[in-house]
Amino acid sequence: TSYISVTGVQTCALPIFIDTKPPEPFDVVVVQDRPTDPTPRLVFSATDELSGIGRYEINVGAKDAIVLTPQDIAVAGGYEFSLEREEQLSPGEHIITVTAYDGAGNERVATTQATIVAIPVPAITGYSDTVDEGNVFFEIGRASCRERV
């Protein structure tokens, strides 16, 4: 709306919005190809109507936070983040916290748990008696199917 003041100067009135609300509640889903997978994917999507999502911080246990923008991890229908090789999780239970910060600095926290199952120890039942130059060393044993040992 525009006004002309008594001095003849045109002024206008604009609404000012102050964002004091945190982003909407959201869930984090852990996706693993197999229970022993030490690099699960995290799928989540946070929203904030007034100022939008500015960044995410992902904490896995006591490790340093991983800071990402929505553009870093955007996929169809939400956000997806895969723990990289250097972020492999050891076997056991892990608490994962994702904090979404809106453009005004308000935050919303979502927590989930990831369970990594230990790979059963392979059993070596036989191996080459001698290894000579140019020959291949062989070993025979049993391990869980489709696991990397």
Side-chain angles (χ1 to χ4, degrees), residues 39-145:
T39 56
R41 292 185 319 280
L42 307 177
V43 180
F44 52 90
S45 181
T47 57
D48 185 87
E49 283 190 38
L50 196 53
S51 59
I53 300 298
R55 75 178 191 280
Y56 292 99
E57 289 185 6
I58 301 171
N59 288 86
V60 182
K63 294 182 180 185
D64 290 338
I66 300 164
V67 180
L68 302 164
T69 66
Q71 295 79 13
D72 291 335
I73 54 177
V75 294
Y79 299 102
E80 186 173 312
F81 176 72
S82 180
L83 294 171
E84 302 294 329
R85 184 164 284 287
E86 62 270 6
E87 297 293 333
Q88 284 189 358
L89 301 179
S90 59
E93 309 240 339
H94 300 272
I95 301 298
I96 299 172
T97 303
V98 177
T99 306
Y101 292 89
D102 67 15
N106 302 308
E107 65 183 65
R108 174 74 67 180
V109 176
T111 303
T112 192
Q113 184 172 310
T115 301
I116 309 300
V117 176
I119 296 172
V121 177
I124 297 174
T125 57
Y127 50 87
S128 302
D129 291 334
T130 60
V131 179
D132 298 321
E133 187 176 334
N135 289 338
V136 177
F137 174 79
F138 288 99
E139 65 181 4
I140 301 168
R142 292 184 307 275
S144 296
C145 186

